[in-house]
């Protein structure tokens, strides 16, 4: 079952912050976050495993609330290079490594 | 880091012909690879799970006779689109996972059937 992502699109000015949310109705083993630039393949950002952890990657971090089956991606002090479509991918317990992707959040950072 | 190589990056074929797409894990072994299809401005839709040495597992609604998957070695999986039609035109992407980290995607293949 496809996770629900929000918002679907967001426009930021350089330096502003954004939060992208991802939720599932099923018990999750892990949540993945990827960024895809137009015409390119998705690039892995980070994975959060069951356990409610928070991880960081430069000025991009994420959290995973295992009880609520929700994850949020935090982009701080956004840069032009952050523009792209962000996908969360969820892996269910016993899902044989199969990841189901959300619809994506199109992020545009403008000068 | 893990690298997945996918070829070709673009292919144009005539309706009714078959197209083979290769996906290789370059610096790790992948007993499992995944094939996705992505239509413009849409999400990645899992088509099938490719298992080394055994039959692929297809998602509901994906025709296994049309999308033939072969995973003959620990580093190579192929997807063959048989008797391609214009509606098969899409962006096909493979992915694999190296030791519990996130998935590494191939660069994708843009298929256009004319």
């Amino acid at each position: 079952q496809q996770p629900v992502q929000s918002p679907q699109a967001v426009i930021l000015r350089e330096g502003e912050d954004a939060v992208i949310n991802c939720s599932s109705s099923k018990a999750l083993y892990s949540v993945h976050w990827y960024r895809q630039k137009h015409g390119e393949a998705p690039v892995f950002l980070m994975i959060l495993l069951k356990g409610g952890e928070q991880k960081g990657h430069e000025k991009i971090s994420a959290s995973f609330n295992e009880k609520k089956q929700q994850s949020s991606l935090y982009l701080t002090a956004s840069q032009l290079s952050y523009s792209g479509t962000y996908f969360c991918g969820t892996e269910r317990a016993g899902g044989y490594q199969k990841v189901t992707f959300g619809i994506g959040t199109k992020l545009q950072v403008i000068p | 880091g893990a690298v997945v190589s996918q070829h070709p990056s673009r292919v144009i074929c005539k309706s009714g012909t078959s197209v083979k797409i290769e996906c290789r894990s370059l610096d790790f072994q992948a007993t499992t690879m995944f094939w996705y299809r992505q239509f413009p401005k849409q999400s990645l839709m899992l088509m099938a799970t490719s298992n080394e040495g055994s039959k692929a597992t297809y998602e509901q609604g994906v025709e296994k006779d049309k999308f033939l998957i072969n995973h003959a070695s620990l580093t190579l999986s192929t997807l063959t689109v048989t008797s391609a039609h214009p509606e098969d035109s899409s962006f096909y992407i493979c992915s694999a996972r190296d030791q519990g980290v996130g998935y590494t995607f191939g660069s994708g293949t843009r298929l256009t059937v004319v």
Side-chain angles (χ1 to χ4, degrees), chain A residues 2 29-30 32 34 36 39-44 47 49 87 91 96-104 106, chain B residues 31-32 34 36 38 41-46 49 59 91 93 97 100-108 110:
Chain A
Q2 189 177 39
Y29 173 72
S30 70
H32 302 219
Y34 297 81
Q36 185 178 30
E40 300 177 7
V43 174
F44 171 71
I47 181 173
L49 300 176
F87 292 99
E91 183 180 2
Y96 305 101
Q97 302 187 55
K98 190 167 72 173
V99 174
T100 304
F101 289 90
I103 197 169
K106 186 173 181 179
Chain B
T31 55
T32 304
F34 301 90
Y36 291 86
Q38 186 178 35
K41 299 183 180 180
Q42 293 189 24
S43 186
L44 299 118
M45 299 305 297
L46 180 66
T49 302
E59 294 300 300
F91 191 50
I93 316 174
R97 194 174 195 177
V101 296
Y103 286 86
T104 300
F105 285 87
S107 54
R110 189 160 303 282

Side-chain angles (χ1 to χ4, degrees), chain B residues 43-99:
Chain B
S43 186
L44 299 118
M45 299 305 297
L46 180 66
M47 298 175 65
T49 302
S50 172
N51 304 298
E52 188 267 334
S54 64
K55 291 183 179 180
T57 305
Y58 291 82
E59 294 300 300
Q60 193 172 10
V62 178
E63 299 176 58
K64 60 182 180 182
D65 294 332
K66 181 170 186 61
F67 299 100
L68 299 179
I69 290 172
N70 185 276
H71 196 150
S73 77
L74 287 171
T75 58
L76 174 64
S77 175
T78 60
L79 169 68
T80 301
V81 183
T82 63
S83 187
H85 291 285
E87 57 265 30
D88 298 324
S89 298
S90 189
F91 191 50
Y92 292 87
I93 316 174
C94 67
S95 74
R97 194 174 195 177
D98 183 21
Q99 297 181 354

Side-chain angles (χ1 to χ4, degrees), chain A residues 7-19:
Chain A
Q8 290 191 20
V10 60
I11 300 175
L12 297 174
R13 291 198 178 276
E14 264 187 298
E16 291 183 338
D17 303 340
V19 180

Side-chain angles (χ1 to χ4, degrees), chain B residues 6-54:
Chain B
Q6 185 174 343
H7 294 282
S9 57
R10 292 179 183 273
V11 59
I12 301 173
C13 71
K14 290 186 177 180
S15 189
T17 61
S18 296
V19 173
K20 180 186 281 189
I21 303 170
E22 289 190 352
C23 181
R24 293 180 185 271
S25 57
L26 296 187
D27 49 1
F28 66 101
Q29 294 182 332
T31 55
T32 304
M33 290 186 178
F34 301 90
W35 287 95
Y36 291 86
R37 179 167 55 184
Q38 186 178 35
F39 292 106
K41 299 183 180 180
Q42 293 189 24
S43 186
L44 299 118
M45 299 305 297
L46 180 66
M47 298 175 65
T49 302
S50 172
N51 304 298
E52 188 267 334
S54 64

Side-chain angles (χ1 to χ4, degrees), chain A residues 6-65:
Chain A
S6 64
Q8 290 191 20
V10 60
I11 300 175
L12 297 174
R13 291 198 178 276
E14 264 187 298
E16 291 183 338
D17 303 340
V19 180
I20 300 172
N21 299 302
C22 176
S23 65
S24 173
S25 60
K26 304 292 183 182
L28 300 177
Y29 173 72
S30 70
V31 178
H32 302 219
W33 286 96
Y34 297 81
R35 177 172 59 210
Q36 185 178 30
K37 302 269 186 181
H38 181 68
E40 300 177 7
V43 174
F44 171 71
L45 293 177
M46 65 190 77
I47 181 173
L48 298 104
L49 300 176
K50 182 177 164 180
E53 61 182 271
Q54 183 159 354
K55 298 187 90 170
H57 180 79
E58 296 179 346
K59 294 180 181 177
I60 301 174
S61 62
S63 63
F64 176 27
N65 187 321

